[in-house]
Amino acid sequence: MTITYSIIAPIYNEFENIPALWQRLSQVMDSTGEPWELILVDDGSSDGSNERIRELAASDERVRPVIFARNFGHQIAVTAGMDYSRGQAIVVIDADLQDPPEVILELAKKWKEGYEVVYAVRSEREGESWFKLLTASLFYRLIYRITDVKIPLDTGDFRLIDRKVVDVMSSMRERHRFLRGMSSWIGFKQIGVEYKRAARLSGVTKYPFKKMIKFAQDGITGFSYFPLQIATYLGFIAAGLSVVAIPVVAALRLAGSHSFEGQTTTLISVLFLGGVQLISLGILGEYIGRIYDEVKGRPLYVVRDAPKKE
Ligand code: UDP
Ligand code: MG
């Protein structure tokens, strides 16, 4: 039997949300009248989500569990889901029900019209802190400006992707993954569908500030050289300033002025340049660290338990 829809939900400590997720998803997916599967990727949960996923899989054969050996992160969990998926259309959805399963029907409609990537655009977001809204909004706009691929604004990973796009995505084994960027990079016919992002059903966000920063860094370094070019720009600015400043200071000295004397002047310029150089080194380090990770060529994830790949 060929499966039409593979739904992928990454799960990191979502014990309370799993039954509701399964219930709402199965209701929506059954209404399509087409065969579907639900791939639940347990990303090293420690709250019993693991057992819950296994129970669900034992009672419903459409549920296929992929259990990680530890926490590998959201983007990697979704990647694993794609690796194990068998459907003609793959839907990525959050397990906390912030992405309403009912929207999948609208995504599927566009897919049937011939679009190969149908991404869901957040027209409204409920129940999120002003800090999250502000940082998310800034991030989407920053990344839109500085990357070459045009990643649609206010769009997360909630989307439907055709099998042929997923096959390309799965063949891209980069470790610092930014899936929405990769999906834009691949191309094909893409379209957005607006939806209202709900509040989390239960529990707290699994994206604390530190993870958000890392996610942003992965997105930026993965799709842009702009941070590397900042060093060049700053270098030109500093050199330009000194070209102007040297004759000015020399002239002032000749005229008998005492304005640029003493240690303070030296200290300020040394600290300024030292700062610029250290920041540039740090940016270089970010890229080099990522190159090092790629070169090691370790597997993206380790599974404790997973269905057979087909
Ligand atoms: N998630 C995951 N691994 C992680 C962090 C999050 O699999 O290390 C999952 C999480 O269980 C949820 C989805 O990724 O299904 C989105 O996470 P969350 O809702 O916490 O992010 P937010 O919506 O707050 O940005
Ligand atoms: Mg969420």
Side-chain angles (χ1 to χ4, degrees), residues 159-176:
R159 58 186 62 213
L160 181 151
I161 313 172
D162 188 86
R163 164 58 50 196
K164 49 181 175 290
V165 183
V166 165
D167 283 344
V168 180
M169 223 172 196
S170 297
S171 72
M172 296 161 71
R173 301 313 277 179
E174 56 203 72
R175 10 198 54 265
H176 297 276

Side-chain angles (χ1 to χ4, degrees), residues 9-14 41-43 71-75 77-78 93-96 98 122 125 128 132 197 200 204-207 211-212:
I11 291 177
Y12 182 48
N13 295 338
E14 306 281 4
V41 186
D42 174 32
D43 188 11
N71 180 252
F72 281 90
H74 170 221
Q75 301 284 298
V78 173
I93 194 167
D94 279 0
D96 58 0
Q98 279 197 282
R122 305 160 174 179
R125 296 173 74 143
E128 290 194 280
K132 178 100 182 183
R197 189 159 160 91
R200 192 173 235 288
V204 292
T205 175
K206 307 301 178 308
Y207 262 98
K211 268 194 189 170
M212 272 163 61

Side-chain angles (χ1 to χ4, degrees), residues 8 24 31 71 83 99 104 123 125 132 134 154 159 170 177-178 188 215 237 274 277-278:
I8 299 171
R24 267 176 73 185
S31 77
N71 180 252
D83 292 343
D99 308 326
I104 296 175
S123 60
R125 296 173 74 143
K132 178 100 182 183
L134 178 77
D154 301 318
R159 58 186 62 213
S170 297
R177 299 175 89 74
F178 187 61
F188 286 103
F215 182 63
I237 292 171
Q277 282 169 352
L278 285 178

Side-chain angles (χ1 to χ4, degrees), residues 18 40 50 71 81 89 109 112 117 123 137 147 187 217 235 239 247 253 262 268 273 289 305:
I18 296 170
L40 295 176
N50 182 321
N71 180 252
K109 209 172 119 213
K112 300 227 153 147
V117 176
S123 60
S137 168
T147 55
Q217 286 174 332
R253 273 295 178 83
I268 288 174
L273 269 186
D305 256 324

Side-chain angles (χ1 to χ4, degrees), residues 21-47:
L21 175 74
W22 176 80
Q23 205 176 18
R24 267 176 73 185
L25 264 177
S26 48
Q27 222 168 35
V28 169
M29 296 318 293
D30 283 344
S31 77
T32 64
E34 287 170 284
W36 57 276
E37 64 178 1
L38 170 61
I39 301 177
L40 295 176
V41 186
D42 174 32
D43 188 11
S45 300
S46 54
D47 68 341

